[in-house]
Amino acid sequence: MQNKYPHIRLILTVLPVLLLIPAAFVSAQESDTVLIDKKVITLSEIIIRNNVDIPSFIEKVKNDTTFYKAFRNLRVLSFTSLNDIRMFNKKGKVKASLYSKTAQWANEGCRHTTILHEDVTGDMYDHDRHYNYYTPELYASLFFAPDTICGETNIVKGAELNVKGKSGMAKHKEQLKMLFFNPGKAIPGLPFIGGKTAIFEEDMAPFYEYHLDLQEHLGELCYVFSVKVKDGLSGAKRNRVVIDEMTTWFNVKTFEVIARNYAMSYKAGIYDFDVQMQVEMTRTNGYMVPKLLRYTGNWDVVFKKRERGVFTATLFDFGG
């Protein structure tokens, strides 16, 4: 039957399209930018509507100690850990692995790690049970205390990482920990890199895009701050960059870091590396602590064999 009201049919046909236009316009206008210390920061619409104090926010990001604090809390807590470490050859085949379940006892400033179960393949250890690779050695220095260690605290102030008075492997470990715990800050004594990791400084700002948003993550409302290398950097400019990308989730109330993902890479004459990290936190007995760490790394240091390794740490059963 012919429609007696063709104009109504036209309205019903066009109306949905008209209704989509404002939504598309809002989507196109959902972010804006601000300039802070030469850093162009893209803000999501919800950040703009909530009138977030951006300069104050950036200062908090630059001076954050909660990420490092969460790891130092492990020095004064008991916990259980599942440890999965794998080393690969150049063809991507596993040549050594370690899977273990460990328990740390901690009391009155002392701690000790007990191996509850361990499966090892390949040449993970030498005959004296020393690690044959940097990757598990770094992992062990972060999470294991095979001998009882006393005098431990979780205090951050005055316990900043530094390389003063250190040399050789001890110095390398400290530099790696600085990359691990303080991504975005300068690493002293690291040849050819120096301040290239200081992604919040003015001289590094031209190489990065900065974004700020508000999202729910791991069940908490968070500020999401991401830093990413600009696309299309020339070879010389790209060589100025070490941290390729870093995304951090900050709890909006406490400003504690509850998660962080980052990727770093660099090629120099004496070494090169390509590393990705993922860290998730949890609260237990009033402490913020890491509950999951995933690492993928490819390292080559002069006079050493190239290392391709991954590790995953799952921490649970925390106690005071």
Side-chain angles (χ1 to χ4, degrees):
M1 183 173 68
Q2 187 175 3
N3 192 333
K4 295 181 180 180
Y5 308 100
H7 59 287
I8 294 178
R9 176 184 235 175
L10 178 63
I11 291 173
L12 293 175
T13 301
V14 175
L15 184 60
V17 178
L18 294 175
L19 291 173
L20 286 174
I21 291 176
F25 179 78
V26 169
S27 177
Q29 301 294 320
E30 66 182 359
S31 64
D32 204 347
T33 60
V34 294
L35 183 65
I36 306 292
D37 296 331
K38 296 185 179 181
K39 292 180 283 293
V40 179
I41 304 171
T42 302
L43 311 178
S44 70
E45 184 185 17
I46 192 169
I47 291 293
I48 297 170
R49 285 195 278 110
N50 280 272
N51 296 316
V52 177
D53 184 344
I54 305 303
S56 175
F57 178 90
I58 296 300
E59 283 303 308
K60 287 182 178 180
V61 171
K62 289 171 62 175
N63 299 313
D64 171 70
T65 59
T66 67
F67 190 70
Y68 183 35
K69 174 76 170 181
F71 284 91
R72 285 194 65 87
N73 286 337
L74 296 178
R75 299 186 176 205
V76 298
L77 296 174
S78 299
F79 63 89
T80 302
S81 177
L82 299 179
N83 317 286
D84 188 347
I85 307 173
R86 305 175 199 179
M87 306 304 299
F88 298 89
N89 62 24
K90 61 183 179 180
K91 294 183 178 180
K93 301 292 185 181
V94 175
K95 63 177 181 178
S97 69
L98 182 155
Y99 181 81
S100 67
K101 182 177 182 180
T102 58
Q104 174 172 287
W105 163 87
N107 187 44
E108 296 183 349
C110 295
R111 64 187 179 106
H112 176 77
T113 301
T114 300
I115 299 174
L116 304 178
H117 174 78
E118 183 180 69
D119 291 323
V120 180
T121 67
D123 61 344
M124 182 65 69
Y125 294 118
D126 64 16
H127 294 297
D128 297 319
R129 273 189 68 85
H130 296 141
Y131 294 105
N132 281 316
Y133 303 94
Y134 279 136
T135 301
E137 189 169 349
L138 174 62
Y139 183 96
S141 70
L142 295 176
F143 300 108
F144 298 156
D147 298 317
T148 300
I149 302 174
C150 290
E152 295 280 52
T153 75
N154 62 343
I155 298 172
V156 170
K157 187 175 182 180
E160 292 82 5
L161 295 165
N162 65 76
V163 296
K164 291 182 180 179
K166 295 182 174 64
S167 61
M169 188 60 187
K171 181 177 179 180
H172 294 321
K173 282 184 182 179
E174 198 74 359
Q175 289 167 331
L176 289 173
K177 288 179 182 179
M178 292 174 81
L179 277 173
F180 188 95
F181 294 124
N182 297 325
K185 294 189 177 181
I187 309 297
L190 209 54
F192 305 110
I193 290 183
K196 294 178 182 179
T197 55
I199 59 177
F200 300 114
E201 299 305 316
E202 289 188 9
D203 62 333
M204 295 301 296
F207 308 121
Y208 287 98
E209 297 175 348
Y210 304 84
H211 296 264
L212 179 59
D213 200 354
L214 190 65
Q215 298 175 0
E216 185 175 330
H217 189 66
L218 300 178
E220 300 185 32
L221 186 61
C222 299
Y223 291 116
V224 186
F225 188 66
S226 62
V227 184
K228 185 178 181 181
V229 173
K230 290 181 178 177
D231 294 331
L233 288 184
S234 65
K237 290 183 178 179
R238 189 63 181 82
N239 197 45
R240 293 283 306 277
V241 170
V242 173
I243 295 180
D244 302 319
E245 186 172 359
M246 182 168 73
T247 301
T248 308
W249 289 262
F250 297 90
N251 178 281
V252 295
K253 293 182 178 179
T254 65
F255 214 78
E256 293 171 302
V257 173
I258 70 161
R260 173 172 281 159
N261 298 342
Y262 49 102
M264 300 179 286
S265 63
Y266 193 72
K267 290 186 178 181
I270 59 173
Y271 59 80
D272 66 75
F273 58 84
D274 188 346
V275 171
Q276 295 84 45
M277 294 285 301
Q278 177 185 352
V279 182
E280 295 181 3
M281 306 290 186
T282 189
R283 286 186 183 82
T284 178
N285 301 320
Y287 295 92
M288 181 71 81
V289 290
K291 69 173 182 178
L292 177 67
L293 294 94
R294 295 191 180 98
Y295 162 98
T296 302
N298 187 331
W299 289 81
D300 185 25
V301 182
V302 67
F303 304 130
K304 298 289 183 180
K305 293 183 178 179
R306 178 175 291 278
E307 284 195 13
R308 304 170 183 86
V310 302
F311 69 67
T312 302
T314 306
L315 285 61
F316 54 98
D317 285 347
F318 293 93

